[in-house]
Amino acid sequence: MEIQYGNPFALNWLWLALACVVVIVWAAVRMRAKLRRFATANFNSQLLPPHHRLRTAVRTVLLLLTFLFLTIALVDIRWGKVWREVPQKGIEVMFVVDVSRSMLAEDATPNRLSRAKQQINDMLDVMAGDRVGLVVFAGEVRQVVPMTNHYDDFRRSLKEVGTHSIRRGGSRLGDAIRVASKGFLSKTNDHKAMVILTDGEDQESEPLKVAKQIHQDQGVRIFTIGLGNMSEGARIPAGTDGDSNYVTYDGQQVWSKLDGAILQAVATETNGAFIPAETKQVDMASVYHQYVAKVEQQQFETAKINQYEARFQWFVGLALISFLCEAFMTHWLPTSSDDPVQAEGQAI
């Protein structure tokens, strides 16, 4: 039988239970030693009759069992899988990643493309229930992952993305927006967001015109994340093996800068937002909650999830029974009024 532990760190509470046992045993030994010094052995049984010791031992065991069962309940032990239908609610988010050679510029560490992939993964960490898709572009466009809620598969595909993903060089941002808009599953003019990660370079593909059109036709809101130094720029490595050669044109090294103007315009015209990440580390969780998550959600089809059944309530019940038994011990075992010493005193 497979067992799952929801909160294994709660087992550390057992150290406290062990400490209590040590203290109880130490106290019992000390009391017995004091009684031997106070009175003879035959009189000890009258001062501390057997049923009194039994009652104390049983109550101690019951209290320890209560603590033990509560600790096991906190561990959240689960076994036995059951199928449950879980309603899915969220938005559709299409990630559009620039994989042109300029994204290999190293002004963002380790380079712009790696930073873009990291930012997508950071955003996925705080997404729950949303569908996600992936489109890459350079001189042409390719959809890598259709809309899905299987984030692990998405991450594996994202990891393999690189400049090799597109054969034709260049940067056609407008074409990328057009192709990505066709990947949404929802037919209503809502619930759709596009997140574009690029340095903003474009080769006359009219991204602003295309963005305005799909926002009008489909209600897609576009959020642009600009990568790269906006003022100085950076050289573009000629290879991917870490050599010191850089792309040249007419004998001069090519420097690539972030073009934030076009990205700002695209975001503004589609009721989205422009995040000028440049070369800085950006808290993508905040970006998601502050901007993307505010897109109106929709109800997806119900999903069936096979999950372990929680059993903590069994141990809570056992803890309650142990506690009640300890509380009513005085009614179940003889009390101190039945002690022979006290009875003799009353007779006198």
Side-chain angles (χ1 to χ4, degrees), residues 76-334:
D76 191 14
I77 294 180
R78 305 179 181 191
W79 67 80
K81 287 188 174 182
V82 293
W83 286 96
R84 282 195 173 89
E85 292 188 350
V86 180
Q88 300 290 300
K89 188 176 182 180
I91 59 178
E92 293 185 350
V93 181
M94 182 67 76
F95 290 100
V96 181
V97 181
D98 185 351
V99 295
S100 61
R101 184 162 292 277
S102 64
M103 291 292 285
L104 295 178
E106 298 171 346
D107 46 1
T109 306
N111 58 49
R112 297 174 186 175
L113 180 56
S114 295
R115 178 66 62 83
K117 293 160 71 171
Q118 173 199 326
Q119 290 173 339
I120 293 175
N121 278 314
D122 290 346
M123 191 174 289
L124 286 174
D125 288 340
V126 295
M127 298 174 73
D130 298 332
R131 290 172 175 161
V132 292
L134 179 62
V135 166
V136 298
F137 75 97
E140 58 187 12
V141 186
R142 183 166 72 92
Q143 183 169 3
V144 178
V145 182
M147 279 294 167
T148 180
N149 52 12
H150 296 289
Y151 291 179
D152 289 340
D153 294 339
F154 181 95
R155 289 180 192 273
R156 282 192 288 269
S157 298
L158 176 64
K159 184 178 180 180
E160 300 301 321
V161 164
T163 54
H164 60 273
S165 301
I166 299 294
R167 290 173 295 179
R168 182 183 301 174
S171 187
R172 305 282 297 179
L173 179 56
D175 294 350
I177 295 174
R178 183 182 296 107
V179 172
S181 68
K182 297 176 182 178
F184 293 101
L185 301 179
S186 176
K187 302 305 178 183
T188 60
N189 289 353
D190 250 325
H191 325 299
K192 291 171 283 192
M194 189 182 299
V195 179
I196 303 176
L197 300 98
T198 177
D199 53 24
E201 294 186 357
D202 177 65
Q203 296 176 334
E204 300 180 353
S205 62
E206 300 182 317
L208 182 57
K209 179 181 178 181
V210 175
K212 291 172 67 175
Q213 190 64 48
I214 69 162
H215 178 64
Q216 179 181 339
D217 295 343
Q218 301 182 43
V220 178
R221 296 175 61 182
I222 300 179
F223 302 88
T224 55
I225 299 175
L227 297 161
N229 190 295
M230 192 178 296
S231 56
E232 298 179 1
R235 295 174 296 180
I236 304 172
T240 58
D241 55 0
D243 57 32
S244 58
N245 296 322
Y246 296 93
V247 174
T248 60
Y249 181 76
D250 286 342
Q252 300 293 323
Q253 290 183 344
V254 177
W255 286 69
S256 171
K257 297 181 181 180
L258 167 62
D259 185 356
I262 186 63
L263 300 181
Q264 174 85 59
V266 167
T268 301
E269 290 294 336
T270 58
N271 195 26
F274 170 52
I275 296 91
E278 298 190 48
T279 61
K280 305 184 296 291
Q281 289 282 359
V282 177
D283 184 359
M284 297 306 293
S286 297
V287 170
Y288 173 76
H289 291 302
Q290 187 174 351
Y291 300 110
V292 182
K294 291 185 178 179
V295 175
E296 183 180 352
Q297 295 185 340
Q298 66 173 323
Q299 192 77 32
F300 298 141
E301 68 275 6
T302 300
K304 293 191 71 175
I305 299 177
N306 190 16
Q307 59 183 193
Y308 286 93
E309 183 76 5
R311 309 291 182 177
F312 69 92
Q313 59 271 20
W314 291 15
F315 298 99
V316 172
L318 290 172
L320 180 60
I321 292 172
S322 297
F323 179 76
L324 292 176
C325 288
E326 191 280 332
F328 292 103
M329 274 298 300
T330 54
H331 300 287
W332 296 345
L333 289 175

Side-chain angles (χ1 to χ4, degrees), residues 38-95:
F38 179 75
T40 59
N42 58 350
F43 195 62
N44 282 343
S45 61
Q46 296 180 1
L47 289 175
L48 197 63
H51 63 258
H52 184 281
R53 292 196 296 268
L54 175 62
R55 181 171 60 248
T56 301
V58 171
R59 293 182 66 181
T60 300
V61 170
L62 288 173
L63 284 175
L64 289 173
L65 284 176
T66 300
F67 189 89
L68 176 64
F69 289 137
L70 286 176
T71 300
I72 296 176
L74 288 174
V75 172
D76 191 14
I77 294 180
R78 305 179 181 191
W79 67 80
K81 287 188 174 182
V82 293
W83 286 96
R84 282 195 173 89
E85 292 188 350
V86 180
Q88 300 290 300
K89 188 176 182 180
I91 59 178
E92 293 185 350
V93 181
M94 182 67 76
F95 290 100

